Amino acid sequence: MVEGGSKVKRGTHKGATHVQHAPSPNVRRTYTFFLKKRNCISFAHSTYLKHMFFEKRIRARGPIARCFCCFVPYSILFLNLVFADTTTVRQTPDELARILNAVRTKEPITVDGRLLESVWQRPGASGFIQREPLEGQPASEQTEVWFVYDDAALYVAARMYDSSPDQIVARLGRKDGGVESDWIYVGIDAALDRRTAYVFGVSAGGALFDGYISDDTRLTSTWDGVWDADVQRDHLGWSAEFRIPFSQLRFSEKEQYVWGVEFLREVRRKSEESLLVLHPRNDQIRVSRYTELHGIEGIKPPKRIEVLPYVTGTRKFVEPPLVHSFNVGRKDPFVVGRDMNANLGADMKIGLTGELTLDLAINPDFAQVEVDPAVVNLSAYEIRFSERRPFFIEGESILNFGRGGATSYENYNWSDPSFFYSRRIGRAPQGSVSHTGFQNTPDRTTILGAAKVSGKVSESWYLAALTALTDREHGEVDSAGVRFRDAIEPRAFYTVVRARKEMNDARQGVGVVSTFLERENKDPRLTNLVNHRALSLGIDGWTFLDENRDWVLTGWTGISRVTGTVQRMLALQQSSTHYFQRPDANHVGIDSNATSLTGWASRFWLNKEKGKWRFNAALGAIHPQFETNDVGFHGRTDYVNGHIWGGYFSYDPDDAFRTKSIAAVAFREYNFGGTKIGETYNLVLQGQLLSYWGGYAVLGLNEPALDDQRTRGGPLMKTLRSNFFHGSVYSDSREPLNGSVYTTLARGLSGSWFVSSGINFSWSPSATVRVSGGPSYFLNHNAAQHITTRTDPVASSTFGKRYIFGTLDQKQIAATLRLDWTFTPRLSFQLFLQPLISSGRYTDIKELQAPRTFSFNHYEQLPDSIFYDTSAKGYTIVPAGASKFNLDDPNFNFKSLRANAVIRWEYMPGSTLYVVWTNEKVDFEKRGEFSFNRDVKVLLRDRPDNVFAIKLTYWLSP
C-alpha cells in the first residue's frame, strides 16, 4: 500500500510472469589485478571493501582476442548480434513506476527509532522486490516506509518486519565503516536529474552511512552530511527514523517539489537485498529507476551556510639521530625530545545559487588522520597514495575526468594519467638545504588557503573549480653553532576547473578540465629544481550507440605544457617519466636548449554495458612530452596501449554454483617508435557456490618483447616469455569470522620467478568490535634487477655506458591489523598496525652485453673483474680494457613498524573531537640476509617517534 492513496503502477511482479529469477552473490569484494611486467611477471593483488548502494558484486577483471586495433565502426553491428542478450525481457522503469507522497507535519518528531508519533501510524509504502538472491520475487520480509516533512527537514521512517527477530544481525561500527549487518538505506534525488542522489543508511545496530551517487551508479562515501538517525529492535523486527535537514540536500526553489527516492533493505543472514522497484543485476541503471516522491511544497532551500572552526594541538617525542662527525660532542639542537605546537583555522561551506556550493579553508588543517602504509619501492616510478583530506575528497565525483557514460572500464597495463591529483597540494618540499649540519625541515608544505566551488549550474551543467595557495618553505641548518635558513620549496598557486554537460537524457555528454600552476621565480637554486609554470587542458565525453543503451563509446583527450629553466627541462627530459636520453630511440632525443615541454594523451573505450555477454575494447596513447605531475599524476610516457576483452557472466544458479563467469583478454603495448614493448593474454574463471563460498583463477602468458624502461634511460632490452597464475578463495561473508586466501605464482624463461601469498580476514567477536587485516609474504627471484648506470667510452657496444644489473633475491613479510571498537554510533576507537620486513640480496653482478638482448657480461666469471671492499662496504669493478669503478653495496634490509590510533567522538551533529596517536619505527641496514627473529628484535629494541595530537571542531549553521 502507498501512503496518501497514491496510485500504483507496478506491472506484474507478483507472479513474476515476465521477470527472470536470477540469483546473484552478496559479496563485497572487488578484485583488481595490476600486471607489473619486468623480467618475471609480478602480479600485485589488491582486495578492498566496496560497499555500494544497490551494487555489491565480484568483478572478475578478465580477459578476449589478440589484436587491439582490428575493430572499426562497422564491427559494432556484428558484435551487437554476437553478444546480444538472450535473457527474458525484464520490467522496464516505466512498468515499475510508482508515486509516494510526503505529508507535512506540525507534530514534533523525536528521532529515536520508536515510531510513536501519529504521522507514522497510517499505512506506509510497502511491496519491496528482491534484487538478490531471487531477483524479481517479493521480499521475504515485509518493509514499510514513510515520508513527512516540516519547514527545516525531511523525516523518513522505516519498519522492517522480521519473522525471526532474534536472528537480526545488529552490529555497530564507525560511520561509513561498512559493517556487516542488517541495513536500511534511503536514496534521495532532490534535483530529480535521474543522475545524482544522496544516500543515508543506518544498520540494525545503529551504525551510520552517508554517501553521494553520481552518473547514475557511482557511489562515494567521501561526502559527509550533518543528519541524524536512530533504530529500535522489538518483537516485530526493527525500525528506523531519519532526520535529514534540507540544508544537506541541494535543490532549487519551486512551488512544488518532485524528488526521486529509493530504499534498499539488507537482511544479512539471508544475503537478501530488496527495493521499492526492481534493479536487475545485469545492468548498472540505478538512480534513473528511482520512485517519485510528491507532496513537498511550501519550503525554501535554506541558505546553506556552515562554518567549522577548529583548534589543534600536537606534541612530538622524537628520537635524536646519531651525532654527526662535524658536530662531535654536540646534540642536535632541533631535536629536544619534546616538540609542541598549536594551530587554529576554519572551514566554511556557503550555498550559492541552486545546487552550487562554495567551500573555503582558512589556514586549513590538512594533516592526515591515518598514516600511509609503508612500501618498498624498487622501481623508478613514484608511488601513488590515496587522498584522505575531506576538503579535497568531498565533491570529487564532479572532478572525475574521462569516465562518463560507461559504468565499468577494463584496463590492462594502463593507468589513466590524472590531470588533477590533490596530494600535490601541500606535498613534501622538493628541495633540500645547501649547508651541512643538523637539519630541521618540514615534512609538508603549508597551505595558506584554499577555495572550491562545486555543484550543478543548471539541469545539465556541472561545475567544479578549486584554487589553493601554498607557502614558501625553508629548512634550518645548524653547522657548528652557526644557523642558516635555506629555501626548499617556492610559493605556488594552484587552479583546477572542471565542467561537464549532459545532453539527450544523458545519452551524450561532454566535459572539459583545465589545470594551472604558477610558482614564484626568486631562488635560482629552486627554479632549476621545479617547473615554473604548468598548464593542462582535457576534453572528455561519451555517447550511447543504441536505443537500449547497451553499447557506449567513451573517451578523452588532453594536452599539457610545462615551462622552466634550461637546467630544469634538461633534468625533466632525463627523468623516469620520459627517458629522452635512450641512445637507440630515433623518435625522441634531448633538446639541451628547451625551456618547455608540450605533449598530449588520449584514451577511448567501446563497452557493452548489459546482458550476460560483456565486451570491452580500448586504445590509448601518451605522447613522450606529456607532463602533468605538477598538478596531476602519471607514470611513464611514450606509450601506446590497447586491449580487447570479453566475457560471459551468469547469475542463474545450477546444482553447484550461484554465479559463474569466464572472461579473456588480449592486450599489447608499443612506444611511439613502433617498438612492441608488451603482449599478454589472460583467462579468468570465477564462481560462487550456493554456500556463498567462492573464488577465482587467472591464467596469463607474457610473450617476448623489448623493454624500453628496464635500463632506465639506456637501450632496449629483451624480455623473455613468462607465465603466471593468480587465484583466491573466499568464505561466506555473513559469518562473524570470514576472509580470503590468495596466491600468485609466476615464472619466466629468464630464470626469474615470483611467489606471493596472503590472508585477509574479518572477525566480529561482538556487535561492537571488529578485527580485520592479515599477513602477506612474497619471494622474488629477479635474474636481472637494475642497479646503476656508469659512463665509460670503452663500452661502445652499449653506447658508451655500462648498465649494471644483479640477480636479486628478495624476501618480504608484512601484515596489517585494524581494530574497530565502536562504543556508540558517534564514539569509536580505531587502531591500525603495519609491521613490514623486507630484505634484498644481490648476487651475480653483471652488465648488459648488447642492446635488444637478454645477454650479460658476468663480472664474477671474468678473472680479476670484481672485488668486495669490506671497509668501504662496496664493490670495485674492473671491466676488461677499461678503468675501474666503485659500486656501493646494493643489499638492503628494511624494517618498519607503523601504528596509528584514533578516538573519534561526534559530540554534536557535525562537531567532532579527535585524539590521535602515531608511532613509527624505521630501520635500514646494508645487509641482504632475512632473519625474522633478529629483525623483530631490532624493531622492538629501537625507540620510536611518537606524535600525539588533539583536534576539536565545532559545526555552526544558522
Side-chain angles (χ1 to χ4, degrees), residues 446-594:
T446 302
I447 302 175
L448 297 175
K452 178 177 63 176
V453 175
S454 62
K456 291 184 65 176
V457 181
S458 66
E459 288 294 323
S460 59
W461 275 101
Y462 297 81
L463 173 68
L466 182 147
T467 184
L469 177 65
T470 60
D471 201 6
R472 180 180 173 90
E473 294 292 346
H474 295 82
E476 294 181 278
V477 181
D478 184 295
S479 182
V482 180
R483 293 290 181 98
F484 299 93
R485 194 166 182 261
D486 298 334
I488 57 175
E489 179 76 18
R491 185 175 287 111
F493 177 74
Y494 297 80
T495 299
V496 181
V497 178
R498 167 70 166 146
R500 187 179 79 233
K501 180 176 177 58
E502 297 176 351
M503 300 164 285
N504 192 19
D505 192 25
R507 288 182 177 274
Q508 290 85 35
V510 63
V512 61
V513 66
S514 178
T515 68
F516 174 77
L517 167 70
E518 179 90 15
R519 293 189 177 98
E520 67 178 359
N521 194 9
K522 293 182 178 180
D523 191 327
R525 192 170 59 90
L526 294 180
T527 57
N528 292 334
L529 183 67
V530 294
N531 299 328
H532 172 56
R533 183 179 293 116
L535 305 96
S536 70
L537 176 66
I539 300 174
D540 65 337
W542 73 87
T543 181
F544 285 89
L545 303 176
D546 62 319
E547 186 67 24
N548 294 328
R549 302 195 184 195
D550 289 344
W551 291 87
V552 59
L553 181 65
T554 306
W556 62 267
T557 189
I559 59 174
S560 70
R561 180 177 175 83
V562 295
T563 61
T565 64
V566 171
Q567 292 87 343
R568 170 56 187 162
M569 290 299 105
L570 188 63
L572 185 60
Q573 291 176 79
Q574 298 178 79
S575 68
S576 61
T577 305
H578 301 283
Y579 285 146
F580 283 2
Q581 69 270 33
R582 285 170 282 165
D584 56 351
N586 297 323
H587 61 290
V588 293
I590 293 177
D591 182 353
S592 58
N593 297 314

Side-chain angles (χ1 to χ4, degrees), residues 146-160:
W146 298 263
F147 288 95
V148 301
Y149 68 98
D150 58 22
D151 289 336
L154 177 71
Y155 297 87
V156 183
R159 158 61 72 176
M160 282 63 67

Side-chain angles (χ1 to χ4, degrees), residues 11 13 55 66 276 437 480 571 583 693 709 716 734 852 953:
H13 97 271
E55 183 59 26
R66 185 174 181 87
L276 282 172
W693 282 64
Q709 302 287 300
L716 293 166
R734 299 173 300 174
R852 294 176 172 260
T953 66

Side-chain angles (χ1 to χ4, degrees), residues 668-879:
R668 286 186 183 178
E669 301 95 50
Y670 294 85
N671 64 22
F672 273 63
T675 301
K676 186 180 75 172
I677 56 178
E679 180 179 357
T680 304
Y681 303 94
N682 287 357
L683 176 68
V684 178
L685 305 172
Q686 176 268 328
Q688 186 183 54
L689 302 174
L690 297 177
S691 63
Y692 290 98
W693 282 64
Y696 64 88
V698 182
L699 302 173
L701 169 66
N702 294 308
E703 292 287 3
L706 294 172
D707 194 331
D708 60 357
Q709 302 287 300
R710 193 162 184 175
T711 55
R712 303 190 181 184
L716 293 166
M717 181 173 169
K718 188 175 183 179
T719 59
L720 306 182
R721 180 179 285 109
S722 62
N723 302 280
F724 64 88
F725 165 83
H726 184 80
S728 179
V729 175
Y730 59 85
S731 66
D732 185 352
S733 63
R734 299 173 300 174
E735 298 296 329
L737 177 61
N738 63 83
S740 63
V741 179
Y742 66 88
T743 299
T744 299
L745 305 172
R747 179 175 290 276
L749 294 181
S750 64
S752 298
W753 53 266
F754 179 86
V755 177
S756 175
S757 187
I759 299 173
N760 294 292
F761 75 92
S762 175
W763 179 43
S764 301
S766 71
T768 60
V769 177
R770 181 188 180 197
V771 182
S772 61
S776 63
Y777 180 73
F778 79 74
L779 300 174
N780 178 27
H781 177 81
N782 192 333
Q785 172 70 42
H786 182 268
I787 298 177
T788 190
T789 300
R790 295 300 173 91
T791 300
D792 188 344
V794 176
S796 58
S797 61
T798 50
F799 304 97
K801 290 188 177 181
R802 299 186 184 275
Y803 299 93
I804 312 301
F805 292 81
T807 298
L808 170 65
D809 285 288
Q810 184 182 5
K811 298 180 181 179
Q812 178 170 303
I813 185 169
T816 58
L817 181 67
R818 293 180 184 272
L819 169 65
D820 292 284
W821 192 352
T822 309
F823 307 103
T824 72
R826 302 189 185 278
L827 177 61
S828 64
F829 170 77
Q830 275 184 278
L831 176 65
F832 169 78
L833 293 173
Q834 190 209 26
L836 182 146
I837 302 173
S838 182
S839 70
R841 182 175 180 82
Y842 288 82
T843 57
D844 187 21
I845 308 300
K846 55 208 168 196
E847 66 178 46
L848 182 65
Q849 189 178 81
R852 294 176 172 260
T853 70
F854 194 77
S855 301
F856 302 92
N857 295 322
H858 301 265
Y859 293 135
E860 294 179 356
Q861 297 178 8
L862 301 175
D864 301 325
S865 292
I866 186 169
F867 306 91
Y868 188 80
D869 188 341
T870 305
S871 60
K873 294 184 179 180
Y875 293 94
T876 298
I877 299 175
V878 187

Side-chain angles (χ1 to χ4, degrees), residues 894-910:
F894 175 80
K895 299 171 285 292
S896 169
L897 177 61
R898 295 190 176 190
N900 182 241
V902 180
I903 296 175
R904 182 185 187 276
W905 177 33
E906 190 175 354
Y907 59 93
M908 292 176 57

